Amino acid sequence: QVQLVESGGGLVQAGGSLRLSCAASGSIFSINIMAWYRQAPGKQRELVATITSGGSTNYADSAKGRFTISRDHAKNTMYLQMNNLKPEDTAVYSCFASIHTINFWGRGTQVTVSS
């Protein structure tokens, strides 16, 4: 089992920055991949960025050049640094972790970007 707790969301003006954190506990050494997803009101959940246990990263086109995903193994924490935020980035951002075929989710943190 893995428990995931997000933090760092909030209200920010367009062009601003936020750093989201995802604190992991439990069987963290078995995690293969972690990711950030987001879901805006009335829209489907979408993948924002992924990071493997080896540190390889991938980003959605909407996140490339503005967002950076990272992991601090010593702190058992994953981050999403978001710069140059846009109103269309407004969503609930959720942390995801996978151990083989078993998926775990955090409850999410709200990010609101005002124009």
Side-chain angles (χ1 to χ4, degrees):
Q1 287 288 333
V2 173
Q3 294 77 43
L4 304 170
V5 179
E6 302 96 335
S7 62
L11 174 64
V12 64
Q13 288 188 332
S17 298
L18 282 174
R19 189 177 79 157
L20 305 183
S21 299
C22 172
S25 59
S27 303
I28 56 174
F29 295 107
S30 300
I31 294 175
N32 305 116
I33 191 168
M34 296 188 74
W36 287 98
Y37 282 78
R38 68 184 183 186
Q39 186 167 20
K43 294 187 177 181
Q44 288 189 331
R45 183 167 58 195
E46 64 173 346
L47 178 64
V48 177
T50 63
I51 185 165
T52 68
S53 56
S56 297
T57 60
N58 274 294
Y59 297 91
D61 287 344
S62 59
K64 287 179 182 177
R66 299 188 300 127
F67 295 1
T68 302
I69 189 171
S70 62
R71 285 176 72 174
D72 186 331
H73 291 277
K75 295 183 179 180
N76 301 327
T77 302
M78 176 179 67
Y79 302 99
L80 185 68
Q81 177 66 44
M82 304 186 294
N83 298 327
N84 190 22
L85 283 160
K86 304 175 182 180
E88 51 264 42
D89 294 318
T90 295
V92 174
Y93 285 71
S94 298
C95 178
F96 166 92
S98 177
I99 299 177
H100 301 300
T101 59
I102 303 173
N103 299 329
F104 302 92
W105 293 91
R107 293 188 175 185
T109 185
Q110 176 70 45
V111 171
T112 302
V113 184
S114 63
S115 57

